Amino acid sequence: MRRRAADYRRRVRRKISIWIWVFLGLFSVAGFVVIVLQHNYQDQDRVETHVLERKARNVQVPHMKLNLTNEIARPNSYTRQLLEQMTLAKAYVVLAKEHNNLHLAWQLSSKIRTCQSLLSKAAMNEEPIMEEEAEPLITTLSSLILKSQDHHYDIATTMMTMKSHIQALEERANAATVQAAFFGQLAAESVPKNLHCVNVKLLADWFSKKTIRDFVEEKKNSPRLLDNNLYHFCLFSDNLLAVNAVVNSTVSNTDHPKQLVFHVVTSEPNYATMEAWFVTNDFKGSMIEVQKFQDLTWLNASYSPVVGKLTQKNESLLNYLRFYIPEIYPHLEKIVFLDDDVIVQKDLTPLFSLDLHGNVNGAVETCLDGFHRLYKYLNFSNPVLSSKIDPQGCGWAFGLNVFDLVAWRNANVTGVYHYWEEQHSNVGSNLWKLGTLPAGLLAFYGRTEPLDRRWHVLGLGFDVGIDNRLIESAAVIHFNGNLKPWLKFAIGKYKPLWERYVDMGHPYLVDCVTS
């Protein structure tokens, strides 16, 4: 059988199905689209990442505001470290100046100012101080503090020096407080300048009119001054207008003014004018006695511990006469004490029939306000006080006081007052700061009968918010404080309560005010 010769012709390929070509085309297109999309996504991610990074650089990350108190309390706080070093550096500035090391003092002061600036910036921005800001300053201050210690400014020397400076500052502060209180009281007790001429006119009457002096001499022998069946009041003041308002308001609000006796004690320069005023003006038949405390010759330094002290300070004794009422009026059994800055609005004669239950002093308590306890007035760090007086005891007011002079003498309250004044005068005692009230609280401790609050309403010399109903119901209103009613800077809404008892139509007042 013949073999077929080999056929070297290329084989004819079969035709590929049209569907296969379609499938391959779609696959290729899809692959291309995927590649393009992936490339676009990568570019978009890069763009978005760049934008976000740029925004992150521009946008501040919110943070909690700095609480400076909490920051200082943290043991690792740079703020705290700077404050502590700055405080120590200030102490060494003082020491360096005292030892004439001015260059070291200048170096310390310069770093203190830098420290203050950094702390101020942190407080204003409400951001904590960072390490890179604080570390160089802390290092420099530490170096200067060590340098100060090398100059023998050790801790013991620093403490002793600082203690002496603190004591000096305390003395200056106390002196300033006393001076401020003195000038405030001086201003409160003064009278308007244009009314000083009233005293001049009255003094001229005293010397030119013999009838005035004769009537005064006759009045001194009046039995009414010693009659315990009458109602006796006492005032101690240099202020003529103030005393006049107290007397006039008292007699104007009683049914029997002829049964009232007023005992006024003033200083010698004001004696003649007081006498001339009360002799030449009508007070509805009431009796008015005027004395000058210089005539109380028994009241001297050997008898009273306060007299010598006041003489050295050139202060008036008038404010302290309230502790000597039984000695000033030895024949009287009961008396009502009135301050010269009060106004009487109701009849006070019922006070004389009140039962004080054996107590010496009848007064309105002030602890109803919640803060006038004895510890507010007295220094209970002193064992003399703390062993005898209850610091939570109730305070009370001078200004309207009913005194049982018989009980006073039996209890020797004046002697008790002397005891506390002597304790107060001892070196380092300082049982109280200023005024006569603290001494009164001690002298009458355990001997004071509380009165109804409506007898005596206080605060018209400093408190603008007193309830009008309380003022209207009060028997006595008290202008305690520095805004006295006779001054121009008095509280306006209270001033008419005082002015209604001053006869502004009096010829002397008219002449002096208009001139």
Side-chain angles (χ1 to χ4, degrees):
M1 169 182 259
R2 285 179 59 184
R3 179 178 293 179
R4 183 180 293 179
D7 188 0
Y8 293 102
R9 291 179 298 178
R10 190 175 60 181
R11 294 180 179 177
V12 178
R13 295 180 180 176
R14 290 185 177 179
K15 291 182 179 181
I16 300 175
S17 172
I18 188 62
W19 296 107
I20 293 175
W21 286 110
V22 171
F23 177 77
L24 288 174
L26 290 174
F27 181 81
S28 299
V29 171
F32 178 76
V33 169
V34 168
I35 292 171
V36 171
L37 288 175
Q38 185 177 3
H39 180 74
N40 289 339
Y41 287 155
Q42 289 176 349
D43 289 343
Q44 186 176 356
D45 286 344
R46 284 194 295 269
V47 171
E48 289 181 354
T49 302
H50 176 71
V51 171
L52 289 174
E53 288 177 353
R54 187 173 60 186
K55 288 183 177 180
R57 288 194 297 268
N58 294 334
V59 176
Q60 295 182 352
V61 178
H63 62 274
M64 296 296 292
K65 290 185 178 180
L66 174 67
N67 186 318
L68 195 58
T69 302
N70 294 338
E71 180 69 14
I72 294 172
R74 289 177 50 236
N76 297 325
S77 165
Y78 291 110
T79 303
R80 177 175 179 172
Q81 294 180 49
L82 287 171
L83 282 171
E84 290 175 349
Q85 285 199 315
M86 185 174 66
T87 301
L88 189 57
K90 286 181 178 180
Y92 283 124
V93 168
V94 176
L95 288 169
K97 287 182 178 179
E98 288 189 350
H99 290 79
N100 204 30
N101 193 341
L102 301 182
H103 180 67
L104 178 58
W106 177 84
Q107 288 179 306
L108 288 166
S109 298
S110 176
K111 294 304 174 185
I112 288 171
R113 287 192 295 271
T114 305
C115 187
Q116 289 172 333
S117 176
L118 185 58
L119 290 169
S120 176
K121 178 183 176 183
M124 291 180 64
N125 294 336
E126 297 181 327
E127 294 178 349
I129 296 175
M130 307 308 292
E131 180 180 0
E132 58 269 18
E133 297 176 301
E135 195 63 40
L137 190 53
I138 291 174
T139 303
T140 306
L141 278 172
S142 299
S143 176
L144 289 172
I145 290 170
L146 288 174
K147 185 178 179 181
S148 301
Q149 292 175 351
D150 290 339
H151 283 78
H152 307 293
Y153 307 150
D154 55 15
I155 297 299
T157 305
T158 303
M159 290 177 64
M160 291 297 295
T161 305
M162 290 300 102
K163 185 177 180 180
S164 64
H165 279 281
I166 290 171
Q167 290 176 343
L169 288 172
E170 286 179 348
E171 291 175 0
R172 289 171 61 185
N174 290 335
T177 301
V178 172
Q179 189 177 50
F182 172 75
F183 285 124
Q185 186 67 23
L186 188 65
E189 292 178 353
S190 64
V191 295
K193 186 176 180 180
N194 58 358
L195 293 180
H196 281 292
C197 74
V198 174
N199 287 358
V200 175
K201 291 177 178 293
L202 290 169
L203 193 61
D205 287 348
W206 173 262
F207 287 110
S208 63
K209 299 177 181 178
K210 186 175 180 296
T211 54
I212 294 178
R213 300 195 299 276
D214 291 341
F215 189 80
V216 167
E217 288 300 319
E218 179 183 344
K219 185 177 62 174
K220 288 180 180 179
N221 299 318
S222 172
R224 296 172 64 188
L225 297 174
L226 310 176
D227 189 349
N228 281 296
N229 293 316
L230 301 178
Y231 304 106
H232 295 266
F233 300 85
C234 62
L235 298 92
F236 309 126
S237 175
D238 271 344
N239 192 325
L240 172 62
L241 286 180
V243 174
N244 168 74
V246 175
V247 173
N248 196 25
S249 64
T250 307
V251 300
S252 297
N253 290 287
T254 187
D255 295 331
H256 305 286
K258 292 183 179 180
Q259 296 181 7
L260 305 186
V261 181
F262 295 89
H263 304 269
V264 180
V265 181
T266 188
S267 62
E268 191 163 18
N270 294 280
Y271 170 74
T273 57
M274 287 266 193
E275 287 281 29
W277 178 267
F278 288 111
V279 165
T280 57
N281 290 281
D282 179 33
F283 292 91
K284 299 184 178 181
S286 60
M287 183 74 179
I288 303 169
E289 175 195 35
V290 181
Q291 296 176 270
K292 52 182 181 290
F293 71 78
Q294 286 82 0
D295 289 339
L296 306 175
T297 55
W298 50 267
L299 189 55
N300 49 50
S302 62
Y303 175 64
S304 169
V306 77
V307 171
K309 181 173 66 174
L310 294 176
T311 302
Q312 293 173 0
K313 295 182 178 180
N314 197 27
E315 292 184 22
S316 174
L317 190 61
L318 287 172
N319 286 334
Y320 296 85
L321 293 182
R322 62 192 67 187
F323 297 109
Y324 301 97
I325 293 174
E327 288 86 355
I328 300 173
Y329 311 109
H331 300 287
L332 298 183
E333 298 174 355
K334 186 171 283 190
I335 200 167
V336 169
F337 167 79
L338 296 172
D339 261 335
D340 65 356
D341 54 353
V342 306
I343 286 294
V344 178
Q345 300 187 133
K346 299 186 186 303
D347 187 9
L348 297 185
T349 57
L351 286 171
F352 291 85
S353 59
L354 286 178
D355 185 1
L356 299 182
H357 301 98
N359 288 305
V360 177
N361 173 31
V364 170
E365 291 182 332
T366 54
C367 58
L368 296 173
D369 296 332
F371 54 88
H372 289 145
R373 301 283 176 176
L374 296 186
Y375 70 87
K376 290 291 185 179
Y377 301 97
L378 303 169
N379 177 19
F380 279 94
S381 63
N382 191 303
V384 177
L385 272 180
S386 58
S387 63
K388 297 181 179 181
I389 307 295
D390 178 12
Q392 293 295 330
C394 196
W396 47 266
F398 270 130
L400 169 69
N401 303 83
V402 188
F403 290 125
D404 185 333
L405 301 184
V406 176
W408 182 321
R409 297 183 187 101
N410 291 336
N412 189 23
V413 173
T414 301
V416 175
Y417 164 69
H418 285 171
Y419 167 79
W420 287 116
E421 275 288 354
E422 290 168 353
Q423 294 297 319
H424 178 59
S425 299
N426 289 339
V427 177
S429 291
N430 293 325
L431 300 185
W432 59 83
K433 290 183 179 179
L434 298 170
T436 56
L437 179 58
L441 295 174
L442 291 173
F444 295 100
Y445 181 73
R447 302 181 179 90
T448 298
E449 178 72 15
L451 300 182
D452 188 294
R453 195 181 185 188
R454 289 171 295 181
W455 279 112
H456 187 189
V457 171
L458 298 102
L460 280 76
F462 66 91
D463 187 355
V464 298
I466 303 175
D467 192 328
N468 288 333
R469 293 171 297 180
L470 190 61
I471 293 176
E472 291 171 2
S473 66
V476 170
I477 52 175
H478 196 165
F479 291 83
N480 57 309
N482 289 337
L483 305 180
K484 301 301 184 188
W486 51 84
L487 299 177
K488 289 184 178 180
F489 50 80
I491 298 175
K493 65 178 181 177
Y494 301 146
K495 195 167 184 176
L497 300 173
W498 182 83
E499 290 179 334
R500 71 174 64 170
Y501 294 106
V502 178
D503 182 11
M504 300 306 294
H506 191 284
Y508 285 179
L509 291 176
V510 171
D511 290 345
C512 289
V513 170
T514 55
S515 62

